[in-house]
């Protein structure tokens, strides 16, 4: 099964007090080369300048505001609000390279209809955007990540994921009781 070339992708951006970084994150989402993107920012009750910065982008993004419920809840709100069948995630302190969504969409089309999620490698950068060589990542071939792989360690960052929205929603989304590893928990449930 192939994907429609113009199938929409919703980029979900949870944000809580990330005024220092949110602009870079949004600019990287807006710079995507993929032609059919919606950006859904869930302001999770920010008390800093995050809402002020978000308003400057209001004509290019959709802003959803909620009380501070945590990262998993903000991502779940984004899943509910997403207009498209494919979702990508971008934390407010991360950036996407311009071709990331196109790359992930192409990979999902390549692996076929039974696949609910694809992910790409990530690199670590400092607050100025300079690469950190803590975990150098190079190009790799497409590989299958198994349940055993995920049990041993998380194999990809959430900001490198493109997933079928309905598959994540069918599992109940991210576990809002978890303060950490809510992403890995969802990926493990998806593998099951």
């Amino acid at each position: 099964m192939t994907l429609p070339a113009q199938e929409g992708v919703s980029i979900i951006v949870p944000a809580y007090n990330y005024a220092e970084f949110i602009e870079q994150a949004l600019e990287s989402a807006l710079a995507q080369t993929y032609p059919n993107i919606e950006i859904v920012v869930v302001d999770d009750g920010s008390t800093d300048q995050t809402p002020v910065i978000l308003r400057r982008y209001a004509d290019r993004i959709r802003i959803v505001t909620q009380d501070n419920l945590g990262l998993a809840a903000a991502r779940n709100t984004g899943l509910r609000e997403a207009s498209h069948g494919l979702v990508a995630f971008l934390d407010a302190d991360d950036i996407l390279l311009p071709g990331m969504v196109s790359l992930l969409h192409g990979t999902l089309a390549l692996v076929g209809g039974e696949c609910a999620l694809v992910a790409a490698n990530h690199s670590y950068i400092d607050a100025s955007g300079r690469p950190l060589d803590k975990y150098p990542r190079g190009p790799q071939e497409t590989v299958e990540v198994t349940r055993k792989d995920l049990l041993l360690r998380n194999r990809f960052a959430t900001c490198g994921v493109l997933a079928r929205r309905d598959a994540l929603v069918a599992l109940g989304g991210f576990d809002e009781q978890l303060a950490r590893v809510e992403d890995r928990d969802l990926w493990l449930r998806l593998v099951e």
Side-chain angles (χ1 to χ4, degrees), residues 2 15 22 29 31 33 46 65 71 83 102 107 113 120 138 149 177:
T2 59
I22 189 72
T33 58
S46 295
T65 303
L71 180 59
S83 299
S102 292
T107 303
D149 293 332
Q177 301 303 308

Side-chain angles (χ1 to χ4, degrees), residues 116-135:
L117 180 148
V118 294
N121 281 332
H122 63 281
S123 297
Y124 292 94
I125 59 173
D126 66 17
S128 302
R130 289 186 301 266
L132 300 173
D133 290 332
K134 182 177 180 182
Y135 299 102

Side-chain angles (χ1 to χ4, degrees), residues 31-45:
Q32 290 302 299
T33 58
Y34 191 77
N36 191 2
I37 288 180
E38 131 184 272
I39 301 166
V40 179
V41 180
V42 180
D43 181 358
D44 193 38

Side-chain angles (χ1 to χ4, degrees), residues 7 79 84-87 113 115-116 163-173 190:
E7 184 174 13
L79 281 172
H84 297 303
L86 296 175
V87 293
C115 185
R164 296 182 192 281
R165 180 182 168 274
D166 60 349
L168 302 184
V169 170
L171 293 171
L190 188 61

